[in-house]
Amino acid sequence: MSRPRPLIKIENPEWAHRIKHLFDKMDRSYDAASAGSGFTCTGCEDNCCLSLFYHHTLMELFYLKEGLATLPEEALATITFRAQEAAPLLHRRANGETDAKVPCPLMEEGKCMLYDHRPMVCRLHGVAHILERPDGSVIDGPGCARFEQASPESQPLNRTPLYREMAILEKGLREETGFADRLKLTIAEMILL
């Protein structure tokens, strides 16, 4: 996997506010979808923080880095160490060399240390969803196994307006910074950049 070039420092503090506003919308949409179905993650043994997820936007990377900057030095050192251990294991898992579950470096006693700064997939994973593509086709995501057991008949979360808003923010952030590289990073890799 090629490494993206070092990031340009984002000087405009307004970006953190804009991203937080969108992530708050995502949280409200997720909460409504899960409440409407009776779904909850509480007590789930198939923790999604053990899943292999990739994150593709500069805005998610920037916002996660904003959160990391708020942590005490000792906590940041611990997270960095965990990320150094996790990154090669996740790479092996992505290549099919192992199916071992690797905990997210941000997970501490079953909870996210940067919950308010977590990326999009960490906010929306689990509930059934639909996504309307620009070509008019619709992608149906069934939700996790626990969601399907809780409420097989519930209405899916329409991610389309959230993704559209995210695309607009991402485009603006990339234009402002001149960052044009593609991103495909695990949280471990995001921490280590």
Side-chain angles (χ1 to χ4, degrees), residues 17 27 80 92 116 136 146 161 188:
H17 175 74
D27 291 345
T80 302
R92 289 182 53 219
D116 290 340
R146 185 174 179 142

Side-chain angles (χ1 to χ4, degrees), residues 172-184:
L173 185 58
R174 284 172 173 264
E175 286 173 355
E176 185 169 312
T177 61
F179 187 87
D181 295 353
R182 288 184 176 213
L183 294 172
K184 182 181 178 184

Side-chain angles (χ1 to χ4, degrees), residues 109-160:
E109 297 180 12
K111 295 188 179 188
C112 180
M113 293 176 71
L114 284 179
Y115 189 78
D116 290 340
H117 288 83
R118 70 199 189 282
M120 175 198 64
V121 72
C122 303
R123 293 170 187 275
L124 298 179
H125 181 71
V127 298
H129 63 274
I130 60 169
L131 178 64
E132 300 164 26
R133 296 174 50 104
D135 66 5
S137 63
V138 176
I139 298 171
D140 289 303
C144 67
R146 185 174 179 142
F147 179 85
E148 288 183 329
Q149 292 171 353
S151 184
E153 311 258 336
S154 65
Q155 290 294 323
L157 166 63
N158 185 351
R159 291 185 179 182
T160 309

Side-chain angles (χ1 to χ4, degrees), residues 1-168:
M1 180 181 84
S2 65
R3 304 292 289 173
R5 67 183 169 93
L7 293 178
I8 297 166
K9 182 147 175 72
I10 299 169
E11 301 291 344
N12 183 349
E14 182 61 25
W15 282 109
H17 175 74
R18 290 177 193 164
I19 295 165
K20 180 184 181 331
H21 181 72
L22 173 58
F23 281 165
D24 287 347
K25 278 187 188 177
M26 288 182 182
D27 291 345
R28 288 190 303 273
S29 297
Y30 180 91
D31 289 346
S34 61
S37 65
F39 171 71
T40 178
C41 295
T42 305
C44 181
E45 293 181 22
D46 189 23
N47 191 324
C48 59
C49 297
L50 300 173
S51 299
L52 174 63
F53 289 127
Y54 287 105
H55 310 277
H56 302 276
T57 67
L58 181 61
M59 61 172 265
E60 291 171 290
L61 177 57
F62 163 71
Y63 201 59
L64 185 75
K65 291 291 194 177
E66 286 279 303
L68 288 168
T70 68
L71 294 175
E73 233 175 88
E74 187 176 310
L76 185 57
T78 298
I79 288 169
T80 302
F81 176 77
R82 289 180 190 158
Q84 289 168 337
E85 288 189 324
L89 297 173
L90 290 166
H91 184 71
R92 289 182 53 219
R93 185 171 175 192
N95 288 334
E97 298 169 27
T98 180
D99 61 356
K101 295 194 176 209
V102 180
C104 175
L106 297 174
M107 193 165 68
E108 181 77 36
E109 297 180 12
K111 295 188 179 188
C112 180
M113 293 176 71
L114 284 179
Y115 189 78
D116 290 340
H117 288 83
R118 70 199 189 282
M120 175 198 64
V121 72
C122 303
R123 293 170 187 275
L124 298 179
H125 181 71
V127 298
H129 63 274
I130 60 169
L131 178 64
E132 300 164 26
R133 296 174 50 104
D135 66 5
S137 63
V138 176
I139 298 171
D140 289 303
C144 67
R146 185 174 179 142
F147 179 85
E148 288 183 329
Q149 292 171 353
S151 184
E153 311 258 336
S154 65
Q155 290 294 323
L157 166 63
N158 185 351
R159 291 185 179 182
T160 309
L162 300 169
Y163 277 38
R164 285 182 182 146
E165 188 171 342
M166 189 164 138
I168 291 166

